[in-house]
Amino acid sequence: QVQLVESGGGSVQSGGSLRLSCALAGYTDSLNCMAWFRQAPGKEGEAVALINSDGTTKYADSVKGRVTISQDNAKKTQYLQLNSLKSEDTAMYYCAARPSRCDVGITNYNQRSFDYWGQGTQVTVSS
């Protein structure tokens, strides 16, 4: 089994930054793709960023240039650096993981694409 625990959310003003963390536990050697999703009230969930075990990344167009996904294998932690935050970034952010790689475009991935999920961390951006 795999457990994911997010942290780092909070309330910031427009233009601010946050770093979200996702701590992994359990049989993490089986994982080859990690992701961050977000869900805002009344909107569909969106895959924001993906990272494969070899370090290759993909980003949604809505965040490209403002967001960086990274991983520290020694610490078994994944990060999502959010910069130049906008009010439309307000959402619950979830980290997710799956054994298979993520090799197609990020828009092809949804909640059903991933096997393991964290409980979420709230990001609120005020203008």
Side-chain angles (χ1 to χ4, degrees), residues 5-10 19-23 36 77-78 93 119-121:
V5 179
E6 303 97 332
S7 60
R19 188 174 82 157
L20 308 183
S21 298
C22 176
W36 285 94
T77 303
Q78 182 203 155
Y93 284 71
Q119 83 289 350
T121 186

Side-chain angles (χ1 to χ4, degrees), residues 71-123:
Q71 57 192 7
D72 184 330
N73 292 327
K75 294 183 179 180
K76 292 191 174 184
T77 303
Q78 182 203 155
Y79 303 99
L80 188 71
Q81 179 68 42
L82 303 167
N83 298 323
S84 302
L85 283 162
K86 307 175 183 179
S87 56
E88 51 262 44
D89 294 318
T90 294
M92 185 72 81
Y93 284 71
Y94 299 88
C95 71
R98 69 184 216 167
S100 53
R101 287 178 54 89
C102 297
D103 287 325
V104 297
I106 194 170
T107 56
N108 290 281
Y109 298 100
N110 57 37
Q111 285 87 338
R112 293 187 298 276
S113 304
F114 288 81
D115 300 283
Y116 306 105
W117 290 84
Q119 83 289 350
T121 186
Q122 178 69 38
V123 171

Side-chain angles (χ1 to χ4, degrees), residues 6-98:
E6 303 97 332
S7 60
S11 297
V12 296
Q13 291 195 324
S14 180
S17 297
L18 281 173
R19 188 174 82 157
L20 308 183
S21 298
C22 176
L24 288 74
Y27 188 44
T28 58
D29 288 347
S30 65
L31 305 174
N32 281 290
C33 180
M34 303 287 300
W36 285 94
F37 281 76
R38 65 184 180 186
Q39 177 120 41
K43 295 186 179 180
E44 286 200 13
E46 175 188 28
V48 174
L50 307 172
I51 186 166
N52 285 308
S53 53
D54 64 0
T56 55
T57 58
K58 301 178 187 293
Y59 295 97
D61 287 344
S62 57
V63 301
K64 200 169 290 184
R66 301 188 296 119
V67 166
T68 303
I69 188 171
S70 61
Q71 57 192 7
D72 184 330
N73 292 327
K75 294 183 179 180
K76 292 191 174 184
T77 303
Q78 182 203 155
Y79 303 99
L80 188 71
Q81 179 68 42
L82 303 167
N83 298 323
S84 302
L85 283 162
K86 307 175 183 179
S87 56
E88 51 262 44
D89 294 318
T90 294
M92 185 72 81
Y93 284 71
Y94 299 88
C95 71
R98 69 184 216 167

